[in-house]
Amino acid sequence: MRIATWNVNSLRSRIDRVEAFVQRHDIDVLALQETKAREDQLPLMGLQALGYDIAVAGLNQWNGVALLSRVGLEDVEVGFSDMPGWGDPVAAESRAIGATCGGVRIWSLYVPNGRKPDDPHYTYKLDWLARLRATASGWLDGETALVGDWNICPTDDDVFDVKQFAKSTHVTPPERAAFQGFLDDGYAEVTRAHDAGYTYWDYYRQRFERDRGLKIDFVLASPTLASRVTGAFIDRDERDPAQGTGSPSDHAPVVVDLG
DNA sequence: ATGGTAGGATGCCTA
């Protein structure tokens, strides 16, 4: 089984690339983030014609997550979408959607960005991660995958210039500790060993062309699932403006193979 | 300290 995760930065504007991507790599399950639209706004007929069942969560223009699966899509659940103290409608944020696909419980996660270390959104990010960790620690016995845009660079190697991020989110010790907490609990990050490259490059200043990126998209697997991983890779071609149809997302997809 | 680009509920907010 081949699963993938991709922050598409608007599924509407990326639909041609998504359809080409799943076909080119023979993807069984695809977790999407930043879909940026309601389900009724999305042109999903092409993907359905390719055999994918689709579950979408998210009502606003910034977030939204989705799961596509051609190996079953059962027990769909939306979670971790509330924003305490913000007063936002729960469904609007929709930062996580989970389902059982081919016997594997897969969560598509869009971890809050945090904006700035002194911003309330940063506190919210840490709180969100703590709540996810507390719940996810109960899923370690099964075959569980926590995939998506973690908005954290776990090591200095995951930033093109760590000095430039001295006053930024993504690299602060509390964020890194939050990520490490999942590993301490028993989850394994299963992509780095196969592909240590970046997964995100900002649109401006030709960051992709100069390979000045961040590694922030990860696949965390429970022990039994991690033992099934046979390979992984980052599809940089999908971030390349010179390749494919239409403009690229600022993230590249991450693909994981299970034996 | 600022600005650069992209997407959408577009002349502003978020990433």
Side-chain angles (χ1 to χ4, degrees), chain A residues 159-161 164-165 168 198-214 236 239-241 249-250:
Chain A
V159 194
F160 67 90
D161 180 4
Q164 213 172 110
F165 280 71
S168 301
Y198 301 135
T199 63
Y200 162 88
W201 298 259
D202 225 320
Y203 280 122
Y204 43 72
R205 291 190 172 179
Q206 297 191 295
R207 289 262 172 89
F208 178 76
E209 289 75 3
R210 297 187 294 149
D211 196 26
R212 294 171 73 77
L214 306 176
R236 294 170 51 96
R239 177 60 183 87
D240 191 344
S249 168
D250 42 3

mmCIF file of all heavy atoms in Angstrom, chain A residues 159-161 164-165 168 198-214 236 239-241 249-250, chain B residues 1-6 15:
data_model
loop_
_atom_site.group_PDB
_atom_site.id
_atom_site.type_symbol
_atom_site.label_atom_id
_atom_site.label_comp_id
_atom_site.label_asym_id
_atom_site.label_seq_id
_atom_site.Cartn_x
_atom_site.Cartn_y
_atom_site.Cartn_z
ATOM 1 N N VAL A 159 16.142 23.361 8.301
ATOM 2 C CA VAL A 159 15.965 24.775 7.966
ATOM 3 C C VAL A 159 17.130 25.214 7.080
ATOM 4 O O VAL A 159 18.283 24.913 7.393
ATOM 5 C CB VAL A 159 15.969 25.661 9.230
ATOM 6 C CG1 VAL A 159 15.460 27.055 8.920
ATOM 7 C CG2 VAL A 159 15.172 25.021 10.339
ATOM 8 N N PHE A 160 16.840 25.921 6.000
ATOM 9 C CA PHE A 160 17.929 26.313 5.086
ATOM 10 C C PHE A 160 18.902 27.280 5.739
ATOM 11 O O PHE A 160 20.078 27.311 5.387
ATOM 12 C CB PHE A 160 17.351 26.910 3.798
ATOM 13 C CG PHE A 160 16.632 28.232 3.979
ATOM 14 C CD1 PHE A 160 17.323 29.431 3.872
ATOM 15 C CD2 PHE A 160 15.273 28.268 4.229
ATOM 16 C CE1 PHE A 160 16.661 30.637 4.026
ATOM 17 C CE2 PHE A 160 14.606 29.475 4.388
ATOM 18 C CZ PHE A 160 15.304 30.663 4.294
ATOM 19 N N ASP A 161 18.412 28.097 6.674
ATOM 20 C CA ASP A 161 19.301 29.018 7.392
ATOM 21 C C ASP A 161 18.702 29.264 8.771
ATOM 22 O O ASP A 161 17.823 30.107 8.929
ATOM 23 C CB ASP A 161 19.443 30.330 6.623
ATOM 24 C CG ASP A 161 20.365 31.313 7.337
ATOM 25 O OD1 ASP A 161 20.943 30.937 8.385
ATOM 26 O OD2 ASP A 161 20.514 32.452 6.850
ATOM 27 N N GLN A 164 18.329 32.716 10.289
ATOM 28 C CA GLN A 164 17.239 33.547 9.790
ATOM 29 C C GLN A 164 15.940 33.298 10.556
ATOM 30 O O GLN A 164 15.007 34.088 10.489
ATOM 31 C CB GLN A 164 17.041 33.259 8.302
ATOM 32 C CG GLN A 164 16.591 34.446 7.489
ATOM 33 C CD GLN A 164 16.586 34.165 5.995
ATOM 34 O OE1 GLN A 164 15.538 34.067 5.393
ATOM 35 N NE2 GLN A 164 17.760 34.025 5.392
ATOM 36 N N PHE A 165 15.882 32.187 11.286
ATOM 37 C CA PHE A 165 14.667 31.823 12.014
ATOM 38 C C PHE A 165 14.791 32.062 13.513
ATOM 39 O O PHE A 165 14.008 31.521 14.294
ATOM 40 C CB PHE A 165 14.312 30.357 11.738
ATOM 41 C CG PHE A 165 13.615 30.158 10.420
ATOM 42 C CD1 PHE A 165 14.308 30.310 9.227
ATOM 43 C CD2 PHE A 165 12.269 29.855 10.378
ATOM 44 C CE1 PHE A 165 13.662 30.141 8.003
ATOM 45 C CE2 PHE A 165 11.612 29.682 9.160
ATOM 46 C CZ PHE A 165 12.318 29.823 7.973
ATOM 47 N N SER A 168 11.605 33.260 14.926
ATOM 48 C CA SER A 168 10.448 32.713 14.216
ATOM 49 C C SER A 168 9.923 31.447 14.877
ATOM 50 O O SER A 168 10.607 30.810 15.685
ATOM 51 C CB SER A 168 10.833 32.391 12.772
ATOM 52 O OG SER A 168 11.297 33.535 12.110
ATOM 53 N N TYR A 198 14.117 18.756 1.995
ATOM 54 C CA TYR A 198 13.043 19.668 2.403
ATOM 55 C C TYR A 198 11.720 19.255 1.770
ATOM 56 O O TYR A 198 11.689 18.544 0.767
ATOM 57 C CB TYR A 198 13.373 21.102 1.969
ATOM 58 C CG TYR A 198 14.645 21.662 2.531
ATOM 59 C CD1 TYR A 198 15.541 22.355 1.714
ATOM 60 C CD2 TYR A 198 14.958 21.513 3.878
ATOM 61 C CE1 TYR A 198 16.718 22.889 2.229
ATOM 62 C CE2 TYR A 198 16.127 22.047 4.391
ATOM 63 C CZ TYR A 198 17.010 22.731 3.562
ATOM 64 O OH TYR A 198 18.170 23.242 4.067
ATOM 65 N N THR A 199 10.619 19.745 2.388
ATOM 66 C CA THR A 199 9.280 19.485 1.836
ATOM 67 C C THR A 199 8.539 20.765 1.492
ATOM 68 O O THR A 199 7.457 20.725 0.914
ATOM 69 C CB THR A 199 8.420 18.691 2.827
ATOM 70 O OG1 THR A 199 8.219 19.486 4.011
ATOM 71 C CG2 THR A 199 9.090 17.374 3.214
ATOM 72 N N TYR A 200 9.108 21.911 1.883
ATOM 73 C CA TYR A 200 8.431 23.200 1.683
ATOM 74 C C TYR A 200 9.454 24.260 1.286
ATOM 75 O O TYR A 200 10.552 24.317 1.861
ATOM 76 C CB TYR A 200 7.735 23.610 2.989
ATOM 77 C CG TYR A 200 7.359 25.069 3.089
ATOM 78 C CD1 TYR A 200 6.130 25.526 2.604
ATOM 79 C CD2 TYR A 200 8.230 26.005 3.648
ATOM 80 C CE1 TYR A 200 5.791 26.866 2.688
ATOM 81 C CE2 TYR A 200 7.889 27.343 3.739
ATOM 82 C CZ TYR A 200 6.672 27.758 3.256
ATOM 83 O OH TYR A 200 6.339 29.084 3.335
ATOM 84 N N TRP A 201 9.065 25.051 0.297
ATOM 85 C CA TRP A 201 9.896 26.172 -0.128
ATOM 86 C C TRP A 201 8.971 27.358 -0.332
ATOM 87 O O TRP A 201 7.989 27.270 -1.084
ATOM 88 C CB TRP A 201 10.600 25.865 -1.454
ATOM 89 C CG TRP A 201 11.543 24.696 -1.428
ATOM 90 C CD1 TRP A 201 12.908 24.736 -1.332
ATOM 91 C CD2 TRP A 201 11.209 23.300 -1.531
ATOM 92 N NE1 TRP A 201 13.430 23.468 -1.364
ATOM 93 C CE2 TRP A 201 12.409 22.576 -1.482
ATOM 94 C CE3 TRP A 201 10.004 22.606 -1.654
ATOM 95 C CZ2 TRP A 201 12.439 21.178 -1.548
ATOM 96 C CZ3 TRP A 201 10.026 21.229 -1.716
ATOM 97 C CH2 TRP A 201 11.237 20.534 -1.671
ATOM 98 N N ASP A 202 9.292 28.481 0.308
ATOM 99 C CA ASP A 202 8.453 29.670 0.178
ATOM 100 C C ASP A 202 8.377 30.095 -1.296
ATOM 101 O O ASP A 202 9.302 29.859 -2.061
ATOM 102 C CB ASP A 202 9.038 30.808 1.026
ATOM 103 C CG ASP A 202 7.953 31.514 1.812
ATOM 104 O OD1 ASP A 202 6.863 31.716 1.241
ATOM 105 O OD2 ASP A 202 8.175 31.831 2.985
ATOM 106 N N TYR A 203 7.248 30.712 -1.645
ATOM 107 C CA TYR A 203 7.055 31.077 -3.052
ATOM 108 C C TYR A 203 8.034 32.167 -3.507
ATOM 109 O O TYR A 203 8.410 32.220 -4.663
ATOM 110 C CB TYR A 203 5.635 31.604 -3.270
ATOM 111 C CG TYR A 203 4.577 30.538 -3.399
ATOM 112 C CD1 TYR A 203 3.496 30.501 -2.537
ATOM 113 C CD2 TYR A 203 4.640 29.582 -4.406
ATOM 114 C CE1 TYR A 203 2.499 29.544 -2.657
ATOM 115 C CE2 TYR A 203 3.658 28.622 -4.542
ATOM 116 C CZ TYR A 203 2.584 28.605 -3.665
ATOM 117 O OH TYR A 203 1.607 27.652 -3.806
ATOM 118 N N TYR A 204 8.400 33.055 -2.573
ATOM 119 C CA TYR A 204 9.161 34.212 -3.047
ATOM 120 C C TYR A 204 10.666 34.008 -2.955
ATOM 121 O O TYR A 204 11.167 33.037 -2.391
ATOM 122 C CB TYR A 204 8.723 35.472 -2.328
ATOM 123 C CG TYR A 204 8.515 35.359 -0.853
ATOM 124 C CD1 TYR A 204 9.591 35.219 0.001
ATOM 125 C CD2 TYR A 204 7.230 35.386 -0.330
ATOM 126 C CE1 TYR A 204 9.396 35.136 1.356
ATOM 127 C CE2 TYR A 204 7.028 35.300 1.030
ATOM 128 C CZ TYR A 204 8.118 35.171 1.869
ATOM 129 O OH TYR A 204 7.925 35.080 3.213
ATOM 130 N N ARG A 205 11.363 34.907 -3.577
ATOM 131 C CA ARG A 205 12.837 34.900 -3.596
ATOM 132 C C ARG A 205 13.421 33.622 -4.192
ATOM 133 O O ARG A 205 14.514 33.198 -3.809
ATOM 134 C CB ARG A 205 13.388 35.120 -2.190
ATOM 135 C CG ARG A 205 13.132 36.515 -1.665
ATOM 136 C CD ARG A 205 13.906 36.737 -0.392
ATOM 137 N NE ARG A 205 13.829 38.135 0.028
ATOM 138 C CZ ARG A 205 14.409 38.603 1.121
ATOM 139 N NH1 ARG A 205 15.095 37.791 1.894
ATOM 140 N NH2 ARG A 205 14.310 39.864 1.438
ATOM 141 N N GLN A 206 12.652 32.995 -5.065
ATOM 142 C CA GLN A 206 13.157 31.803 -5.755
ATOM 143 C C GLN A 206 13.761 30.782 -4.784
ATOM 144 O O GLN A 206 14.822 30.227 -5.024
ATOM 145 C CB GLN A 206 14.189 32.211 -6.808
ATOM 146 C CG GLN A 206 13.564 33.089 -7.896
ATOM 147 C CD GLN A 206 14.491 33.275 -9.062
ATOM 148 O OE1 GLN A 206 15.548 33.881 -8.899
ATOM 149 N NE2 GLN A 206 14.110 32.777 -10.214
ATOM 150 N N ARG A 207 13.034 30.580 -3.711
ATOM 151 C CA ARG A 207 13.535 29.673 -2.680
ATOM 152 C C ARG A 207 13.652 28.228 -3.203
ATOM 153 O O ARG A 207 14.565 27.516 -2.816
ATOM 154 C CB ARG A 207 12.591 29.705 -1.471
ATOM 155 C CG ARG A 207 12.672 31.007 -0.683
ATOM 156 C CD ARG A 207 13.568 30.861 0.515
ATOM 157 N NE ARG A 207 13.827 32.131 1.187
ATOM 158 C CZ ARG A 207 13.076 32.658 2.155
ATOM 159 N NH1 ARG A 207 11.985 32.030 2.548
ATOM 160 N NH2 ARG A 207 13.408 33.796 2.714
ATOM 161 N N PHE A 208 12.732 27.810 -4.043
ATOM 162 C CA PHE A 208 12.829 26.440 -4.566
ATOM 163 C C PHE A 208 14.040 26.291 -5.484
ATOM 164 O O PHE A 208 14.820 25.336 -5.355
ATOM 165 C CB PHE A 208 11.556 26.043 -5.319
ATOM 166 C CG PHE A 208 11.637 24.669 -5.921
ATOM 167 C CD1 PHE A 208 11.511 23.537 -5.118
ATOM 168 C CD2 PHE A 208 11.867 24.498 -7.282
ATOM 169 C CE1 PHE A 208 11.607 22.258 -5.665
ATOM 170 C CE2 PHE A 208 11.961 23.220 -7.835
ATOM 171 C CZ PHE A 208 11.836 22.109 -7.027
ATOM 172 N N GLU A 209 14.199 27.260 -6.382
ATOM 173 C CA GLU A 209 15.305 27.194 -7.333
ATOM 174 C C GLU A 209 16.656 27.154 -6.605
ATOM 175 O O GLU A 209 17.615 26.560 -7.092
ATOM 176 C CB GLU A 209 15.247 28.390 -8.290
ATOM 177 C CG GLU A 209 14.095 28.327 -9.298
ATOM 178 C CD GLU A 209 12.727 28.635 -8.696
ATOM 179 O OE1 GLU A 209 12.650 28.958 -7.480
ATOM 180 O OE2 GLU A 209 11.730 28.537 -9.440
ATOM 181 N N ARG A 210 16.713 27.784 -5.449
ATOM 182 C CA ARG A 210 17.969 27.807 -4.689
ATOM 183 C C ARG A 210 17.990 26.748 -3.575
ATOM 184 O O ARG A 210 18.909 26.732 -2.753
ATOM 185 C CB ARG A 210 18.168 29.204 -4.080
ATOM 186 C CG ARG A 210 18.306 30.297 -5.150
ATOM 187 C CD ARG A 210 18.658 31.635 -4.532
ATOM 188 N NE ARG A 210 17.581 32.161 -3.696
ATOM 189 C CZ ARG A 210 17.776 32.919 -2.620
ATOM 190 N NH1 ARG A 210 19.012 33.219 -2.239
ATOM 191 N NH2 ARG A 210 16.754 33.387 -1.935
ATOM 192 N N ASP A 211 16.960 25.912 -3.525
ATOM 193 C CA ASP A 211 16.799 24.878 -2.496
ATOM 194 C C ASP A 211 16.964 25.438 -1.087
ATOM 195 O O ASP A 211 17.671 24.879 -0.248
ATOM 196 C CB ASP A 211 17.773 23.719 -2.730
ATOM 197 C CG ASP A 211 17.369 22.476 -1.919
ATOM 198 O OD1 ASP A 211 16.171 22.335 -1.613
ATOM 199 O OD2 ASP A 211 18.254 21.668 -1.578
ATOM 200 N N ARG A 212 16.292 26.551 -0.846
ATOM 201 C CA ARG A 212 16.269 27.129 0.495
ATOM 202 C C ARG A 212 14.885 26.859 1.078
ATOM 203 O O ARG A 212 13.951 27.657 0.914
ATOM 204 C CB ARG A 212 16.579 28.630 0.430
ATOM 205 C CG ARG A 212 18.019 28.876 -0.044
ATOM 206 C CD ARG A 212 18.310 30.319 -0.327
ATOM 207 N NE ARG A 212 18.422 31.148 0.867
ATOM 208 C CZ ARG A 212 19.476 31.185 1.677
ATOM 209 N NH1 ARG A 212 20.513 30.405 1.451
ATOM 210 N NH2 ARG A 212 19.504 31.989 2.706
ATOM 211 N N GLY A 213 14.757 25.702 1.720
ATOM 212 C CA GLY A 213 13.441 25.251 2.157
ATOM 213 C C GLY A 213 13.409 24.826 3.613
ATOM 214 O O GLY A 213 14.324 25.096 4.397
ATOM 215 N N LEU A 214 12.311 24.184 3.967
ATOM 216 C CA LEU A 214 12.108 23.648 5.309
ATOM 217 C C LEU A 214 11.618 22.202 5.188
ATOM 218 O O LEU A 214 10.933 21.856 4.220
ATOM 219 C CB LEU A 214 11.042 24.454 6.077
ATOM 220 C CG LEU A 214 11.199 25.962 6.198
ATOM 221 C CD1 LEU A 214 9.981 26.548 6.919
ATOM 222 C CD2 LEU A 214 12.479 26.320 6.930
ATOM 223 N N ARG A 236 9.809 16.180 -5.376
ATOM 224 C CA ARG A 236 10.166 17.586 -5.613
ATOM 225 C C ARG A 236 9.634 18.121 -6.944
ATOM 226 O O ARG A 236 9.437 19.326 -7.090
ATOM 227 C CB ARG A 236 11.691 17.738 -5.579
ATOM 228 C CG ARG A 236 12.332 17.467 -4.235
ATOM 229 C CD ARG A 236 13.850 17.411 -4.376
ATOM 230 N NE ARG A 236 14.376 18.568 -5.062
ATOM 231 C CZ ARG A 236 14.867 19.632 -4.431
ATOM 232 N NH1 ARG A 236 14.915 19.652 -3.118
ATOM 233 N NH2 ARG A 236 15.310 20.659 -5.120
ATOM 234 N N ARG A 239 6.789 20.466 -6.808
ATOM 235 C CA ARG A 239 7.031 21.842 -6.350
ATOM 236 C C ARG A 239 7.696 22.679 -7.445
ATOM 237 O O ARG A 239 7.894 23.872 -7.288
ATOM 238 C CB ARG A 239 7.905 21.828 -5.070
ATOM 239 C CG ARG A 239 8.295 23.195 -4.515
ATOM 240 C CD ARG A 239 7.098 24.034 -4.144
ATOM 241 N NE ARG A 239 7.459 25.368 -3.685
ATOM 242 C CZ ARG A 239 7.633 26.416 -4.495
ATOM 243 N NH1 ARG A 239 7.517 26.262 -5.799
ATOM 244 N NH2 ARG A 239 7.933 27.595 -3.987
ATOM 245 N N ASP A 240 8.024 22.036 -8.542
ATOM 246 C CA ASP A 240 8.787 22.683 -9.611
ATOM 247 C C ASP A 240 7.845 23.411 -10.573
ATOM 248 O O ASP A 240 7.049 22.764 -11.254
ATOM 249 C CB ASP A 240 9.593 21.616 -10.363
ATOM 250 C CG ASP A 240 10.597 22.239 -11.310
ATOM 251 O OD1 ASP A 240 10.472 23.450 -11.606
ATOM 252 O OD2 ASP A 240 11.505 21.510 -11.751
ATOM 253 N N PRO A 241 7.935 24.757 -10.642
ATOM 254 C CA PRO A 241 7.055 25.495 -11.555
ATOM 255 C C PRO A 241 7.266 25.083 -13.008
ATOM 256 O O PRO A 241 6.374 25.267 -13.845
ATOM 257 C CB PRO A 241 7.466 26.958 -11.345
ATOM 258 C CG PRO A 241 8.153 26.989 -10.026
ATOM 259 C CD PRO A 241 8.822 25.655 -9.875
ATOM 260 N N SER A 249 2.013 23.970 -5.611
ATOM 261 C CA SER A 249 1.878 24.311 -4.195
ATOM 262 C C SER A 249 3.252 24.710 -3.672
ATOM 263 O O SER A 249 4.274 24.458 -4.316
ATOM 264 C CB SER A 249 1.361 23.105 -3.423
ATOM 265 O OG SER A 249 1.483 23.313 -2.024
ATOM 266 N N ASP A 250 3.299 25.350 -2.505
ATOM 267 C CA ASP A 250 4.605 25.635 -1.906
ATOM 268 C C ASP A 250 5.161 24.418 -1.154
ATOM 269 O O ASP A 250 6.294 24.449 -0.700
ATOM 270 C CB ASP A 250 4.573 26.887 -1.013
ATOM 271 C CG ASP A 250 3.334 26.982 -0.148
ATOM 272 O OD1 ASP A 250 2.496 26.048 -0.169
ATOM 273 O OD2 ASP A 250 3.200 27.991 0.564
ATOM 274 P P DA B 1 14.471 45.033 14.964
ATOM 275 O OP1 DA B 1 13.555 44.919 16.026
ATOM 276 O OP2 DA B 1 15.445 44.062 14.550
ATOM 277 O "O5'" DA B 1 13.693 45.441 13.647
ATOM 278 C "C5'" DA B 1 13.113 46.680 13.534
ATOM 279 C "C4'" DA B 1 12.885 46.927 12.086
ATOM 280 O "O4'" DA B 1 13.976 46.399 11.287
ATOM 281 C "C3'" DA B 1 11.603 46.264 11.565
ATOM 282 O "O3'" DA B 1 10.943 47.214 10.767
ATOM 283 C "C2'" DA B 1 12.111 45.059 10.761
ATOM 284 C "C1'" DA B 1 13.443 45.583 10.246
ATOM 285 N N9 DA B 1 14.402 44.497 10.000
ATOM 286 C C8 DA B 1 14.868 43.551 10.871
ATOM 287 N N7 DA B 1 15.728 42.730 10.355
ATOM 288 C C5 DA B 1 15.842 43.144 9.036
ATOM 289 C C6 DA B 1 16.600 42.678 7.943
ATOM 290 N N6 DA B 1 17.431 41.641 8.022
ATOM 291 N N1 DA B 1 16.483 43.315 6.765
ATOM 292 C C2 DA B 1 15.659 44.364 6.700
ATOM 293 N N3 DA B 1 14.891 44.905 7.644
ATOM 294 C C4 DA B 1 15.035 44.230 8.804
ATOM 295 P P DT B 2 9.554 47.081 10.216
ATOM 296 O OP1 DT B 2 8.918 48.415 10.183
ATOM 297 O OP2 DT B 2 8.943 45.942 10.932
ATOM 298 O "O5'" DT B 2 9.844 46.657 8.714
ATOM 299 C "C5'" DT B 2 10.718 47.452 7.937
ATOM 300 C "C4'" DT B 2 10.953 46.797 6.603
ATOM 301 O "O4'" DT B 2 11.891 45.717 6.721
ATOM 302 C "C3'" DT B 2 9.701 46.200 5.956
ATOM 303 O "O3'" DT B 2 9.507 46.829 4.714
ATOM 304 C "C2'" DT B 2 10.013 44.712 5.797
ATOM 305 C "C1'" DT B 2 11.539 44.714 5.806
ATOM 306 N N1 DT B 2 12.169 43.460 6.281
ATOM 307 C C2 DT B 2 13.044 42.811 5.440
ATOM 308 O O2 DT B 2 13.309 43.206 4.312
ATOM 309 N N3 DT B 2 13.596 41.669 5.976
ATOM 310 C C4 DT B 2 13.369 41.131 7.227
ATOM 311 O O4 DT B 2 13.936 40.111 7.579
ATOM 312 C C5 DT B 2 12.450 41.857 8.055
ATOM 313 C C7 DT B 2 12.138 41.368 9.429
ATOM 314 C C6 DT B 2 11.897 42.978 7.544
ATOM 315 P P DG B 3 8.190 46.657 3.935
ATOM 316 O OP1 DG B 3 7.831 47.966 3.374
ATOM 317 O OP2 DG B 3 7.248 45.903 4.777
ATOM 318 O "O5'" DG B 3 8.653 45.727 2.719
ATOM 319 C "C5'" DG B 3 9.939 45.916 2.125
ATOM 320 C "C4'" DG B 3 10.230 44.749 1.202
ATOM 321 O "O4'" DG B 3 10.687 43.618 1.968
ATOM 322 C "C3'" DG B 3 9.031 44.250 0.398
ATOM 323 O "O3'" DG B 3 9.455 43.886 -0.906
ATOM 324 C "C2'" DG B 3 8.539 43.058 1.191
ATOM 325 C "C1'" DG B 3 9.823 42.514 1.784
ATOM 326 N N9 DG B 3 9.661 41.882 3.093
ATOM 327 C C8 DG B 3 8.662 42.086 4.007
ATOM 328 N N7 DG B 3 8.817 41.388 5.100
ATOM 329 C C5 DG B 3 9.987 40.671 4.893
ATOM 330 C C6 DG B 3 10.668 39.744 5.728
ATOM 331 O O6 DG B 3 10.355 39.369 6.848
ATOM 332 N N1 DG B 3 11.843 39.270 5.114
ATOM 333 C C2 DG B 3 12.280 39.633 3.874
ATOM 334 N N2 DG B 3 13.411 39.067 3.454
ATOM 335 N N3 DG B 3 11.647 40.510 3.076
ATOM 336 C C4 DG B 3 10.520 40.980 3.660
ATOM 337 P P DG B 4 8.385 43.974 -2.052
ATOM 338 O OP1 DG B 4 8.911 44.963 -2.988
ATOM 339 O OP2 DG B 4 7.022 44.107 -1.477
ATOM 340 O "O5'" DG B 4 8.462 42.547 -2.749
ATOM 341 C "C5'" DG B 4 9.691 42.056 -3.272
ATOM 342 C "C4'" DG B 4 9.764 40.549 -3.058
ATOM 343 O "O4'" DG B 4 9.903 40.272 -1.668
ATOM 344 C "C3'" DG B 4 8.493 39.804 -3.480
ATOM 345 O "O3'" DG B 4 8.613 39.382 -4.843
ATOM 346 C "C2'" DG B 4 8.476 38.592 -2.562
ATOM 347 C "C1'" DG B 4 9.201 39.095 -1.316
ATOM 348 N N9 DG B 4 8.287 39.434 -0.232
ATOM 349 C C8 DG B 4 7.098 40.116 -0.290
ATOM 350 N N7 DG B 4 6.521 40.270 0.868
ATOM 351 C C5 DG B 4 7.385 39.643 1.756
ATOM 352 C C6 DG B 4 7.299 39.462 3.156
ATOM 353 O O6 DG B 4 6.408 39.847 3.910
ATOM 354 N N1 DG B 4 8.394 38.763 3.656
ATOM 355 C C2 DG B 4 9.437 38.295 2.902
ATOM 356 N N2 DG B 4 10.401 37.650 3.556
ATOM 357 N N3 DG B 4 9.536 38.455 1.590
ATOM 358 C C4 DG B 4 8.479 39.124 1.089
ATOM 359 P P DT B 5 7.299 39.242 -5.670
ATOM 360 O OP1 DT B 5 7.746 39.081 -7.055
ATOM 361 O OP2 DT B 5 6.371 40.312 -5.253
ATOM 362 O "O5'" DT B 5 6.678 37.862 -5.172
ATOM 363 C "C5'" DT B 5 7.390 36.656 -5.377
ATOM 364 C "C4'" DT B 5 6.489 35.480 -5.070
ATOM 365 O "O4'" DT B 5 6.039 35.567 -3.697
ATOM 366 C "C3'" DT B 5 5.219 35.418 -5.917
ATOM 367 O "O3'" DT B 5 4.951 34.063 -6.221
ATOM 368 C "C2'" DT B 5 4.147 35.985 -5.009
ATOM 369 C "C1'" DT B 5 4.627 35.495 -3.645
ATOM 370 N N1 DT B 5 4.183 36.299 -2.482
ATOM 371 C C2 DT B 5 3.621 35.651 -1.415
ATOM 372 O O2 DT B 5 3.458 34.451 -1.389
ATOM 373 N N3 DT B 5 3.250 36.471 -0.373
ATOM 374 C C4 DT B 5 3.393 37.837 -0.304
ATOM 375 O O4 DT B 5 3.019 38.459 0.683
ATOM 376 C C5 DT B 5 3.998 38.452 -1.456
ATOM 377 C C7 DT B 5 4.205 39.927 -1.478
ATOM 378 C C6 DT B 5 4.355 37.672 -2.472
ATOM 379 P P DA B 6 4.069 33.693 -7.520
ATOM 380 O OP1 DA B 6 4.803 32.635 -8.229
ATOM 381 O OP2 DA B 6 3.646 34.919 -8.208
ATOM 382 O "O5'" DA B 6 2.773 33.040 -6.871
ATOM 383 C "C5'" DA B 6 2.895 31.875 -6.068
ATOM 384 C "C4'" DA B 6 1.674 31.721 -5.206
ATOM 385 O "O4'" DA B 6 1.678 32.737 -4.176
ATOM 386 C "C3'" DA B 6 0.328 31.865 -5.930
ATOM 387 O "O3'" DA B 6 -0.292 30.592 -5.917
ATOM 388 C "C2'" DA B 6 -0.454 32.890 -5.106
ATOM 389 C "C1'" DA B 6 0.335 32.950 -3.797
ATOM 390 N N9 DA B 6 0.280 34.232 -3.093
ATOM 391 C C8 DA B 6 0.672 35.458 -3.549
ATOM 392 N N7 DA B 6 0.533 36.432 -2.672
ATOM 393 C C5 DA B 6 -0.003 35.799 -1.560
ATOM 394 C C6 DA B 6 -0.381 36.272 -0.292
ATOM 395 N N6 DA B 6 -0.289 37.539 0.079
ATOM 396 N N1 DA B 6 -0.870 35.370 0.586
ATOM 397 C C2 DA B 6 -0.970 34.089 0.217
ATOM 398 N N3 DA B 6 -0.637 33.523 -0.952
ATOM 399 C C4 DA B 6 -0.156 34.440 -1.801
ATOM 400 P P DA B 15 -2.302 31.416 9.413
ATOM 401 O OP1 DA B 15 -2.859 30.241 10.081
ATOM 402 O OP2 DA B 15 -1.559 32.441 10.172
ATOM 403 O "O5'" DA B 15 -1.361 30.947 8.219
ATOM 404 C "C5'" DA B 15 -1.848 29.994 7.281
ATOM 405 C "C4'" DA B 15 -0.855 29.865 6.137
ATOM 406 O "O4'" DA B 15 -0.744 31.129 5.453
ATOM 407 C "C3'" DA B 15 0.547 29.466 6.555
ATOM 408 O "O3'" DA B 15 0.919 28.264 5.915
ATOM 409 C "C2'" DA B 15 1.449 30.597 6.095
ATOM 410 C "C1'" DA B 15 0.608 31.289 5.040
ATOM 411 N N9 DA B 15 0.900 32.711 4.903
ATOM 412 C C8 DA B 15 0.853 33.680 5.865
ATOM 413 N N7 DA B 15 1.183 34.874 5.441
ATOM 414 C C5 DA B 15 1.464 34.676 4.092
ATOM 415 C C6 DA B 15 1.878 35.555 3.070
ATOM 416 N N6 DA B 15 2.089 36.860 3.253
ATOM 417 N N1 DA B 15 2.070 35.031 1.832
ATOM 418 C C2 DA B 15 1.868 33.735 1.659
ATOM 419 N N3 DA B 15 1.479 32.810 2.539
ATOM 420 C C4 DA B 15 1.294 33.349 3.750
#
